């Protein structure tokens, strides 16, 4: 695992400093809940924390050169344990949690810390969370447990309350652009991608790489046809299911927000130079419907990983969207 990546992401420096300060004061947490939206490098930071706890170097930790760091970089450190969603799974299985718990009960192979990481911890099911609770309540000596989750995590309060919370925040827009201009492929304007990414630079790189300009053009055309009743909702939903569904919904979410902001006399969105605009006379009657459409998009995004029928859910959402745009 490449824990050195965290050092290239300057917006993680405050979190790194907190860990160093805690260690210097002899208060390195035994359980930590790392909350982060996608695209901020939370997993890289979690790896860095693992390396910090396991490093055997005499100077600045993690040194990257000691035996422990080298083992970690080759994914072969016997005291580092990581579990995450298995391929095509929607939840972390209770058997995975039990394996982690068992591993954490053994003595350290190298005589130092043992570190366990649960990535995408928001996908822990109830049985897995309950199985993990006793380990949090009665941690063994020199143990660090890290749970990385989205801010909208569904972790039980009994789990979250026993962890030190560390929340990551996006860098300022200027700092994000500076980093992107230095580390990402060339782009004439990172503004639209950063807006869709919620200010997260790594996610902005991913979004830009998905052909954002083409998606935006297609979304504008889809909205025009949808509001005019000139498109088949079933066919449109099928197209969205096959192509960047969540990105399209995030774009739609931002577009609706921009319309609502415009209706209140505030600045427009930064997504495009020529945003689609609704006739001013229709704007106020549309506001309630647009808010309802925002709620529907939020529900879809929350349930997207639960195995629901996305085609049918999108059809229902788009039917409501057509009514909101045409009302």
């Amino acid at each position: 695992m490449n824990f050195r990546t965290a050092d290239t992401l300057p917006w993680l420096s405050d979190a790194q400093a907190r860990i160093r300060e805690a260690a210097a004061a002899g208060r390195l947490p035994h359980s930590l809940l790392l909350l982060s939206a996608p695209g901020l490098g939370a997993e890289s930071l979690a790896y860095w924390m693992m390396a910090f706890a396991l490093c055997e170097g005499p100077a600045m930790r993690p040194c990257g050169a000691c035996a422990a760091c080298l083992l970690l970089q080759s994914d072969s450190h016997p005291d580092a344990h990581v579990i995450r969603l298995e391929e095509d799974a929607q939840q972390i299985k209770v058997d995975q949690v039990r394996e982690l718990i068992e591993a954490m009960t053994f003595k350290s192979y190298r005589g130092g810390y043992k570190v366990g990481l649960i990535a995408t911890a928001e996908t822990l099911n109830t049985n897995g969370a309950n199985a993990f609770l006793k380990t949090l309540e009665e941690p063994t000596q020199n143990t660090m447990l890290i749970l990385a989750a989205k801010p909208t995590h569904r972790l039980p309060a009994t789990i979250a309350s026993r962890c030190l919370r560390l929340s990551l925040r996006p860098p300022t827009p200027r700092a994000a652009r500076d980093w992107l201009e230095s580390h990402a492929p060339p782009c004439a304007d990172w503004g639209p991608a950063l807006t869709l990414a919620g200010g997260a630079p790594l996610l902005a790189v991913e979004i830009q790489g998905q052909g954002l300009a083409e998606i935006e053009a297609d979304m504008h055309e889809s909205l025009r046809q949808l509001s005019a009743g000139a498109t088949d909702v079933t066919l449109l939903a099928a197209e969205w299911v096959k192509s960047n569904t969540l990105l399209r919904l995030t774009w739609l979410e931002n577009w609706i927000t921009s319309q609502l902001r415009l209706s209140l006399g505030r600045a427009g969105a930064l997504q495009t130079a020529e945003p689609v605009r609704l006739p001013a006379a229709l704007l106020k009657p549309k506001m309630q419907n647009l808010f309802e459409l925002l709620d529907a998009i939020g529900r879809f995004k929350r349930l997207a990983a639960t195995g629901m029928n996305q085609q049918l859910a999108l059809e229902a959402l788009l039917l409501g969207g057509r009514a909101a745009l045409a009302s």
Side-chain angles (χ1 to χ4, degrees):
M1 56 188 69
N2 187 5
F3 58 83
R4 306 309 291 265
T5 301
D7 292 326
T8 69
L9 308 177
W11 56 89
L12 300 181
S13 59
D14 287 346
Q16 291 174 307
R18 286 186 61 183
I19 295 299
R20 293 190 191 280
E21 290 167 4
R27 295 183 286 102
L28 195 63
H30 69 81
S31 55
L32 191 146
L33 176 56
L34 181 58
L35 298 174
S36 173
L40 293 176
E43 193 159 313
S44 294
L45 179 61
Y47 290 157
W48 182 91
M49 291 175 178
M50 295 183 79
F52 183 89
L54 296 170
C55 179
E56 300 167 356
M60 180 70 88
R61 297 157 55 192
C63 68
C66 68
C69 286
L70 294 177
L71 285 170
L72 198 58
Q73 290 181 86
S74 64
D75 294 331
S76 56
H77 197 298
D79 295 320
H81 308 278
V82 181
I83 62 172
R84 56 168 52 84
L85 276 177
E86 295 178 345
E87 187 175 358
D88 296 328
Q90 295 170 359
Q91 292 183 327
I92 291 176
K93 300 173 182 176
V94 66
D95 288 343
Q96 293 176 272
V97 177
R98 288 173 178 155
E99 288 177 9
L100 175 64
I101 293 170
E102 183 180 9
M104 301 307 286
T105 61
F106 298 143
K107 289 185 177 181
S108 166
Y109 284 90
R110 298 190 62 82
Y113 260 82
K114 299 168 295 180
V115 185
L117 167 62
I118 301 181
T120 60
E122 70 274 8
T123 62
L124 272 173
N125 62 24
T126 302
N127 290 335
N130 290 338
F132 193 59
L133 184 57
K134 186 174 181 180
T135 303
L136 284 176
E137 291 175 332
E138 302 173 6
T140 55
Q141 189 176 12
N142 289 344
T143 296
M144 177 184 278
L145 300 168
I146 305 170
L147 291 82
K150 295 177 181 177
T152 53
H153 64 88
R154 301 188 300 271
L155 285 174
T158 50
I159 296 288
S161 64
R162 286 166 171 78
C163 301
L164 173 68
R165 296 193 185 202
L166 186 59
S167 298
L168 298 185
R169 297 284 182 265
T172 65
R174 180 68 266 172
R177 283 184 171 86
D178 288 345
W179 185 88
L180 288 166
E181 289 168 3
S182 300
H183 294 82
C187 176
D189 180 13
W190 282 104
L194 275 172
T195 299
L196 282 177
L202 299 179
L203 184 57
V205 174
E206 181 182 335
I207 288 173
Q208 189 65 35
Q210 293 175 8
L212 178 56
E214 292 78 8
I215 291 173
E216 282 206 313
D218 184 65
M219 287 298 294
H220 281 305
E221 182 59 27
S222 295
L223 287 189
R224 290 190 183 95
Q225 292 185 12
L226 193 63
S227 62
T231 186
D232 186 305
V233 167
T234 300
L235 294 179
L236 185 59
E239 291 176 9
W240 286 19
V241 165
K242 295 176 183 176
S243 173
N244 299 297
T245 307
L246 293 180
L247 177 57
R248 289 176 180 274
L249 289 178
T250 300
W251 186 97
L252 182 56
E253 207 170 29
N254 285 6
W255 180 84
I256 294 170
T257 301
S258 75
Q259 301 307 307
L260 293 169
R261 287 173 62 86
L262 285 169
S263 73
L264 297 173
R266 299 178 183 177
L270 299 176
Q271 283 178 289
T272 57
E274 297 180 1
V276 176
R277 296 183 182 276
L278 300 175
L282 297 179
L283 206 48
K284 286 188 178 180
K286 290 180 181 293
M287 287 183 67
Q288 181 176 349
N289 288 334
L290 289 175
F291 274 116
E292 290 174 354
L293 182 54
L294 271 180
D295 289 341
I297 294 171
R299 286 193 298 272
F300 184 102
K301 292 171 74 173
R302 286 193 298 273
L303 297 173
T306 64
M308 69 176 183
N309 187 318
Q310 292 197 5
Q311 170 75 27
L312 291 178
L314 264 180
E315 288 177 18
L317 188 151
L318 290 171
L319 283 171
R322 182 164 64 186
L325 294 172
S327 62

